Amino acid sequence: MEFDDFKKQFDKAIDRKETVVFSADCSVCYSGRAESHLPDGERLIIIKADSNLLVHQPKGTSPINYMKQGSTHQVVANDEGVFLESKNPLLKEHMEIKLNKIHFLKTVKLEDNASLALAGSEKDMSDMIMRKPELIESGFRPVDREEQTKYGFVDVLGTDSANNLVIVECKRYIADLQAVTQLRRYVEKMISLKGIKNIRGILAAPKITPNAEQMLKDWGFEFRKVEPPNYLERHKKKQGKLDKFIA
Amino acid sequence: MEFDDFKKQFDKAIDRKETVVFSADCSVCYSGRAESHLPDGERLIIIKADSNLLVHQPKGTSPINYMKQGSTHQVVANDEGVFLESKNPLLKEHMEIKLNKIHFLKTVKLEDNASLALAGSEKDMSDMIMRKPELIESGFRPVDREEQTKYGFVDVLGTDSANNLVIVECKRYIADLQAVTQLRRYVEKMISLKGIKNIRGILAAPKITPNAEQMLKDWGFEFRKVEPPNYLERHKKKQGKLDKFIA
DNA sequence: GGGGAGAGATGCCGC
DNA sequence: GCGGCATTTCTCCCC
């Protein structure tokens, strides 16, 4: 691909806020929050309408290099070769991609105003517990959600049958040491705020690591096995549809 | 673009382990670790040689939907339309992309064995402290790195001029509440392991949040302002090259 | 493979 | 903007 053609198409697409995709043999230098260098290799490079830039290797889920929104991108040629220079003045970041060879370039104007609807998050879990407090234990009564915000980011705050304050921390997957320290922080915060000693801490999750469970016990907290709503629901149906649905 | 052509090119590229890039008006359903639905919109879809799949909207840094390595991808047409079906049996994940319209399709074989060299990580910070212990304080002496692993994931373990044990936790950016709870966990672990009471905890970072600093004081720990090596080094040079380097 | 923790994390919401 | 925290986090290291 000729440099002039490449630059022409590139500039026009950037100007029109199209999505730019091209494949190139290139090397990448980054400077900003850290400093990095990526030697020569063939990659896919994407520039989005909002000026986000992604450099993807042929393997892996995440971009090996990237520039965030608010960057400017310019194709330049000098004695040393052809470069894609990206600058983000606000974040004080800079990237230089040396382009050895372009395999293809495509630009396209994309319209998309949709946003993702997601079920099975931690928020969904705490909502579920608010609706079905018996998932924690018989006699557990969540207090008004508004109450919570005053005392921090506690997932669910409530009282047990003996009228003790109960703090519930939810994890959608495996609860780890960090989850226990988090719960501990909330309990201590609440103790100092309320001046009450008897506050129970409960960790609600589908699973917990052994070390986390030990730490939980050491601190007198409790674990409740709770599955996030919808989580793998389809796959838990025995037999039948499952076999066809998942190879 | 004709369906037959699309499918033919697609299948051939998957078979040859090429990188597949196409733009489409589509909707996405995902089921696995959670459940999600994304209504119609125009997106960029990428399938890599290692079977990773990415769905990118025209804005944002991260993919709105994705399937991880180990997935199979198949284009199918039925009464309801054309679909890209991706399945990951191991992770029990499933994705269905309804393809309303294809704007373009490109496939390319990419060769890339390079890996990123990065400077300015937390590891670099602890290495720097090991080399220049005076960054923590005069008289601070780090102990052998091997010592550390036995007692956990402490960044730097050492002794002060009075021979007290000192645990240093490094953060490359702003130290937050979580960093303090982490340090606290290490100090407590070490106290119980060593049976020593006087263990100092030091948080080394370029910055700390007000709440984290308060909690640090409450627990008798200390903060040391330490910059990660190379971090924004270039941009800290006054004047001169900076002005040209960053717009 | 699980556990633990960092990341140029990103993204969301709150103040 | 910062702060606090979840994330289909992802990635790496180590046991």
Side-chain angles (χ1 to χ4, degrees):
Chain A
M1 190 167 198
E2 292 297 322
F3 170 72
D4 286 344
D5 288 343
F6 178 73
K7 183 172 170 57
K8 205 170 171 181
Q9 275 192 57
F10 183 95
D11 288 346
K12 197 166 75 177
I14 294 289
D15 188 54
R16 294 183 179 177
K17 292 198 180 305
E18 294 179 347
T19 297
V20 179
V21 192
F22 65 95
S23 165
D25 184 280
C26 63
S27 61
V28 185
C29 279
Y30 160 79
S31 167
R33 276 176 291 182
E35 315 264 333
S36 77
H37 176 68
L38 181 66
D40 281 339
E42 297 178 326
R43 286 124 203 174
L44 196 66
I45 296 167
I46 299 158
I47 299 174
K48 294 195 179 186
D50 62 356
S51 79
N52 267 293
L53 178 150
L54 307 171
V55 180
H56 271 279
Q57 290 183 301
K59 295 182 180 181
T61 58
S62 27
I64 187 74
N65 277 115
Y66 56 90
M67 289 289 282
K68 290 203 275 196
Q69 194 170 9
S71 302
T72 59
H73 311 287
Q74 209 171 2
V75 175
V76 294
N78 60 33
D79 302 349
E80 293 163 31
V82 177
F83 296 87
L84 171 52
E85 286 194 1
S86 299
K87 298 173 186 178
N88 192 316
L90 237 74
L91 300 172
K92 293 186 179 176
E93 293 185 304
H94 178 267
M95 184 176 292
E96 199 174 71
I97 305 179
K98 185 171 192 308
L99 301 170
N100 306 309
K101 184 175 167 55
I102 305 291
H103 304 121
F104 77 84
L105 166 68
K106 270 284 176 185
T107 75
V108 63
K109 182 75 181 170
L110 298 179
E111 284 290 335
D112 185 3
N113 299 306
S115 58
L116 195 71
L118 189 140
S121 67
E122 187 174 307
K123 179 67 166 47
D124 290 329
M125 254 184 97
S126 60
D127 286 345
M128 179 178 66
I129 290 171
M130 295 290 279
R131 287 194 313 272
K132 295 187 177 185
E134 66 271 18
L135 284 170
I136 296 302
E137 67 186 21
S138 166
F140 176 66
R141 285 173 301 122
V143 303
D144 183 25
R145 188 163 279 278
E146 299 309 310
E147 264 309 297
Q148 300 170 43
T149 58
K150 279 194 274 179
Y151 304 113
F153 299 85
V154 173
D155 284 337
V156 181
L157 182 66
T159 55
D160 65 13
S161 54
N163 231 35
N164 293 307
L165 258 185
V166 181
I167 292 175
V168 181
E169 172 63 25
C170 302
K171 290 295 160 193
R172 69 180 302 280
Y173 195 42
I174 303 171
D176 56 14
L177 288 174
Q178 206 174 278
V180 183
T181 57
Q182 199 178 337
L183 175 61
R184 177 182 170 188
R185 189 143 46 81
Y186 295 153
V187 171
E188 286 175 349
K189 195 176 183 179
M190 194 67 74
I191 286 173
S192 73
L193 278 169
K194 291 263 186 179
I196 307 172
K197 255 193 162 183
N198 263 349
I199 297 182
R200 289 172 59 197
I202 293 180
L203 194 50
K207 215 175 152 188
I208 186 167
T209 67
N211 288 350
E213 191 165 22
Q214 184 56 53
M215 187 174 173
L216 204 67
K217 282 179 189 167
D218 291 346
W219 279 88
F221 300 143
E222 301 152 70
F223 176 69
R224 290 290 181 281
K225 186 175 161 65
V226 179
E227 300 283 342
N230 295 326
Y231 174 58
L232 286 179
E233 192 177 287
R234 217 177 294 212
H235 309 294
K236 279 175 185 160
K237 290 180 189 168
K238 287 181 196 167
Q239 310 287 345
K241 286 177 183 171
L242 175 59
D243 293 337
K244 282 176 231 162
F245 194 65
I246 296 293
Chain B
M1 191 168 196
E2 293 296 323
F3 170 72
D4 286 343
D5 289 342
F6 178 73
K7 183 172 170 57
K8 205 170 172 180
Q9 275 192 56
F10 183 95
D11 289 345
K12 196 165 76 176
I14 295 290
D15 188 54
R16 293 183 180 175
K17 293 198 179 305
E18 293 180 348
T19 297
V20 178
V21 192
F22 65 96
S23 164
D25 185 279
C26 63
S27 62
V28 185
C29 280
Y30 161 79
S31 168
R33 277 174 291 181
E35 314 264 333
S36 76
H37 176 68
L38 181 66
D40 281 339
E42 297 177 325
R43 287 123 202 174
L44 196 66
I45 296 167
I46 299 156
I47 299 175
K48 294 194 180 187
D50 62 355
S51 79
N52 267 292
L53 178 150
L54 307 170
V55 180
H56 271 279
Q57 290 184 298
K59 294 182 181 182
T61 59
S62 28
I64 187 73
N65 278 114
Y66 57 90
M67 290 287 283
K68 290 202 276 195
Q69 193 171 8
S71 302
T72 60
H73 310 287
Q74 209 170 1
V75 175
V76 294
N78 61 32
D79 301 350
E80 293 164 32
V82 178
F83 296 86
L84 171 52
E85 286 194 1
S86 300
K87 298 173 185 178
N88 192 317
L90 237 75
L91 300 172
K92 292 185 179 176
E93 294 185 305
H94 178 266
M95 185 175 291
E96 200 174 70
I97 306 179
K98 185 171 194 307
L99 301 171
N100 307 308
K101 185 175 166 54
I102 306 291
H103 304 120
F104 77 84
L105 166 69
K106 271 286 175 183
T107 75
V108 63
K109 182 75 180 170
L110 297 179
E111 284 290 334
D112 185 3
N113 299 305
S115 59
L116 195 71
L118 190 140
S121 67
E122 187 175 305
K123 179 67 167 45
D124 290 330
M125 254 185 97
S126 61
D127 285 346
M128 179 178 65
I129 291 171
M130 295 289 280
R131 286 194 314 273
K132 294 187 176 185
E134 65 271 18
L135 284 170
I136 296 303
E137 66 186 22
S138 167
F140 176 67
R141 283 173 302 122
V143 302
D144 185 24
R145 186 165 280 277
E146 298 310 310
E147 266 305 299
Q148 302 170 40
T149 57
K150 280 195 273 179
Y151 304 113
F153 299 86
V154 174
D155 283 338
V156 182
L157 180 65
T159 55
D160 64 13
S161 54
N163 231 33
N164 293 308
L165 258 185
V166 181
I167 291 175
V168 181
E169 172 64 25
C170 303
K171 290 295 160 194
R172 70 180 301 283
Y173 196 41
I174 302 170
D176 55 14
L177 287 175
Q178 202 174 278
V180 182
T181 58
Q182 198 178 336
L183 175 60
R184 177 182 168 187
R185 189 143 46 80
Y186 296 152
V187 170
E188 286 176 348
K189 194 176 185 180
M190 193 67 74
I191 286 174
S192 73
L193 277 170
K194 291 263 186 180
I196 309 171
K197 256 193 161 182
N198 262 350
I199 297 182
R200 291 172 59 196
I202 293 180
L203 194 50
K207 215 175 151 188
I208 187 166
T209 68
N211 287 352
E213 191 165 22
Q214 185 57 52
M215 186 175 173
L216 203 68
K217 282 179 189 167
D218 291 346
W219 280 88
F221 300 143
E222 302 151 69
F223 175 70
R224 291 289 182 282
K225 185 175 162 64
V226 179
E227 301 283 341
N230 295 326
Y231 174 58
L232 287 180
E233 190 178 290
R234 219 176 293 213
H235 309 292
K236 280 176 183 158
K237 290 182 188 168
K238 287 181 196 167
Q239 311 287 344
K241 286 176 184 173
L242 175 60
D243 293 337
K244 281 178 231 162
F245 194 64
I246 297 293

